[in-house]
Amino acid sequence: MDFVDSYHLWADAHAFFDSTLIPSPADHTDPLAIQAADWDRRLAEETPNGHLLRRNAFFEALSGNGKLHLLHVTHALEEISRQGVLYPSGGCLVGSIYCAPLTATEQGFRMHNLGSYVLTKEAPAFLAKLGVTDRVPTPLIFEIDTPPQAYRGLAGVDYLRLGLIHLQIYSHLEYLLSKNERHQLRETVVGRVKNSAAFLATAATVAYQGTRVAAEPFLRLLDETIPRLPILGYLYFEAVAEYLMLHSTSHHTRRLAELGELNNWLYKEMLFASFPAMAGKFDLARFRPRPKQLAALIHQVDPTIDTAHASSYLVERISYLVAARLFAPGDAPEAWHHTRWEFDSLATQLGPLLGHLIHRELRTFGRYPDFYFYFDQHKALQAWNYWNHMDIVAPFNGTMPKGEIGINPAYPNLDYRVWRAEQDDAGYLHPAEELSLTIAPRLVDIKYTLMRNNQWTAPAPSVA
């Protein structure tokens, strides 16, 4: 299996990726197919900001002709300039240069609200946490000349779908680990799943059978399970972010909607309000707002949100995401008490979950920093192969059209220019100095990386 052969694992061909929102035919062999189509309709048509899932400024820029302007923020410009190379890192955009959109106006380049938050709030907080006083976040403007043959559709990167990819890569590269290490890894992963069966079974009954479950006990069980299944922290975060962006009716959200943008400040503010340490290490496995704190956190971020509705929504949405992203496609798991708690058997029904767990577990293995290049570079090579096969210059985070967009570092004859930018008093960016930088198709070494979501990396040579 690779990215080209498993397109459905990589980018859904409707809803968030097709601005025309042509529904895919229901696949009657997949018990979740009808639900998937229903969720697409529900999110797009029954939420205050759902229209932005279909048509937004971000999609218009991606599917347009001519030049694409993107913002990248770095705090290591001196090192990058000295090396003359900009390396991608892993994370939600899988081996691309993490950026946000820019809109050219007569006053200068207007930042997407995601980019403005990163530049003015998140990056300074990151440097402050590191105790760095001799550096400041520097905005870079990339101008990409979109080639005539480039893909004009919308193909995103849903990193929550990569579980089977992680499992497949491990099966190819497990020889890098010793026999004892492989045994330890398998036993650890199986134990994590076995000890999380209560939550997985609950989510399955909600997703497949429509069982009604009260929000507080469900969220409490979720909270208890996240330390064993860290990928649940990512699902939880994406579900909360999705709800906030789609349901907010605040003045700020309405103003951004008029510009064709979803309000990224909502989930950013909630994340850093509840977990201030995230500014130094963006690790969504630690996203665990306690059930009794959730309503207060949501209300603190946006008083227009109905917190009771949010809680009941999260039960349904998280259960669906667990089933759709962590269980193998096909029949729903049944008879959990008869499950064979053995790796190869679990891989049949819960392959995506095992893949996510292995990918996470390997990060903390004693020798993993030495092998990081092989595992994540292998994944990046498959991604680059897929993007080049599809002529995709700028992949984006397809969990939601937030504004997270990358530059494909392996695109043949990529035509781009880059400037150091300066921000004026009105918040617009202006090119100040053209830089001679090369984007290299090689992941930055994890030994220099402090954060895992492609946004911020340690101030080491050649690291963006």
Side-chain angles (χ1 to χ4, degrees):
M1 178 191 301
D2 59 28
F3 282 89
V4 176
D5 294 334
S6 58
Y7 176 76
H8 65 287
L9 297 174
W10 179 250
D12 213 342
H14 55 81
F16 303 152
F17 310 109
D18 185 349
S19 60
T20 60
L21 198 71
I22 301 174
S24 300
D27 181 356
H28 296 292
T29 65
D30 180 359
L32 292 179
I34 295 176
Q35 285 194 51
D38 185 62
W39 271 111
D40 293 341
R41 178 197 56 77
R42 178 176 169 183
L43 297 180
E45 299 177 7
E46 297 181 9
T47 62
N49 304 310
H51 62 284
L52 293 172
L53 295 176
R54 301 180 177 184
R55 302 192 183 280
N56 54 71
F58 180 42
F59 281 176
E60 290 174 5
L62 277 174
S63 58
N65 295 314
K67 299 182 186 298
L68 183 64
H69 293 101
L70 303 174
L71 165 68
H72 176 77
V73 180
T74 182
H75 65 269
L77 183 59
E78 291 184 6
E79 290 88 344
I80 294 170
S81 298
R82 184 165 58 249
Q83 294 285 328
V85 180
L86 190 64
Y87 292 119
S89 60
C92 66
L93 293 177
V94 191
S96 61
I97 305 297
Y98 185 96
C99 298
L102 290 171
T103 301
T105 73
E106 293 182 356
Q107 293 77 33
F109 285 100
R110 180 179 63 80
M111 291 183 285
H112 187 281
N113 74 91
L114 170 66
S116 67
Y117 191 95
V118 169
L119 178 62
T120 62
K121 302 197 72 172
E122 190 171 352
F126 170 53
L127 291 177
K129 181 169 177 57
L130 291 179
V132 175
T133 58
D134 61 343
R135 298 172 183 265
V136 294
T138 304
L140 302 181
I141 295 174
F142 278 87
E143 181 180 86
I144 311 292
D145 280 315
T146 307
Q149 73 275 14
Y151 181 65
R152 300 299 177 186
L154 296 166
V157 181
D158 186 346
Y159 72 95
L160 298 177
R161 293 175 178 267
L162 298 183
L164 284 181
I165 299 296
H166 292 311
L167 184 61
Q168 174 246 343
I169 291 173
Y170 173 72
S171 70
H172 282 309
L173 300 180
E174 63 179 340
Y175 65 84
L176 292 172
L177 303 178
S178 70
K179 181 179 179 179
N180 287 339
E181 286 174 325
R182 293 197 298 271
H183 176 75
Q184 177 188 345
L185 183 64
R186 286 181 170 225
E187 288 297 302
T188 298
V189 168
V190 169
R192 287 180 177 276
V193 176
K194 181 179 180 180
N195 292 326
S196 305
F199 174 78
L200 295 174
T202 300
T205 60
V206 174
Y208 291 105
Q209 301 173 23
T211 303
R212 296 283 184 178
V213 177
E216 185 169 337
F218 178 90
L219 295 175
R220 187 167 59 248
L221 185 57
L222 170 64
D223 176 68
E224 295 168 356
T225 310
I226 288 174
R228 293 189 294 273
L229 305 182
I231 185 61
L232 293 179
Y234 293 77
L235 265 67
Y236 193 2
F237 170 78
E238 294 295 347
V240 170
E242 173 187 272
Y243 186 89
L244 292 173
M245 287 187 288
L246 291 179
H247 290 83
S248 171
T249 56
S250 71
H251 174 74
H252 186 212
T253 298
R254 292 198 306 270
R255 184 178 64 81
L256 291 174
E258 292 173 356
L259 298 173
E261 299 178 10
L262 289 165
N263 185 357
N264 289 258
W265 286 53
L266 294 164
Y267 67 84
K268 291 282 190 181
E269 288 290 292
M270 179 176 178
L271 181 66
F272 296 122
S274 54
F275 301 97
M278 287 282 192
K281 186 172 176 59
F282 202 96
D283 182 2
L284 291 177
R286 296 186 295 160
F287 183 74
R288 295 173 60 197
R290 298 298 189 266
K292 292 184 178 180
Q293 298 173 332
L294 182 62
L297 283 170
I298 291 176
H299 190 265
Q300 175 183 335
V301 171
D302 188 342
T304 71
I305 296 290
D306 182 341
T307 56
H309 182 266
S311 295
S312 61
Y313 168 94
L314 289 172
V315 173
E316 291 185 74
R317 186 59 172 166
I318 291 171
S319 295
Y320 168 77
L321 290 175
V322 166
R325 305 292 183 260
L326 304 184
F327 297 169
D331 294 334
E334 296 179 356
W336 291 83
H337 57 290
H338 291 151
T339 299
R340 289 183 57 194
W341 299 108
E342 184 267 333
F343 185 89
D344 292 332
S345 177
L346 285 179
T348 302
Q349 286 191 318
L350 301 173
L353 174 58
L354 294 189
H356 281 296
L357 291 176
I358 288 172
H359 185 252
R360 177 82 191 184
E361 200 69 32
L362 283 172
R363 297 182 190 180
T364 59
F365 251 53
R367 298 191 300 149
Y368 180 60
D370 296 320
F371 295 139
Y372 163 80
F373 173 83
Y374 300 104
F375 283 96
D376 269 24
Q377 184 74 24
H378 192 82
K379 181 173 64 175
L381 286 170
Q382 292 192 50
W384 298 338
N385 177 42
Y386 168 75
W387 293 338
N388 288 348
H389 176 81
M390 294 290 291
D391 264 315
I392 295 171
V393 178
F396 66 94
N397 183 358
T399 58
M400 282 280 284
K402 301 174 182 176
E404 295 178 314
I405 183 172
I407 301 172
N408 174 5
Y411 192 83
N413 302 314
L414 183 65
D415 190 1
Y416 61 92
R417 299 172 69 185
V418 57
W419 292 267
R420 177 181 62 81
E422 294 178 352
Q423 186 177 15
D424 64 23
D425 294 338
Y428 291 95
L429 295 180
H430 304 271
E433 174 190 6
E434 186 165 5
L435 305 175
S436 179
L437 293 180
T438 299
I439 297 176
R442 184 189 186 282
L443 292 185
V444 66
D445 196 312
I446 192 176
K447 295 175 182 177
Y448 301 125
T449 303
L450 292 183
M451 304 185 69
R452 295 288 303 160
N453 78 330
N454 247 353
Q455 292 191 31
W456 309 113
T457 47
S462 307
V463 180

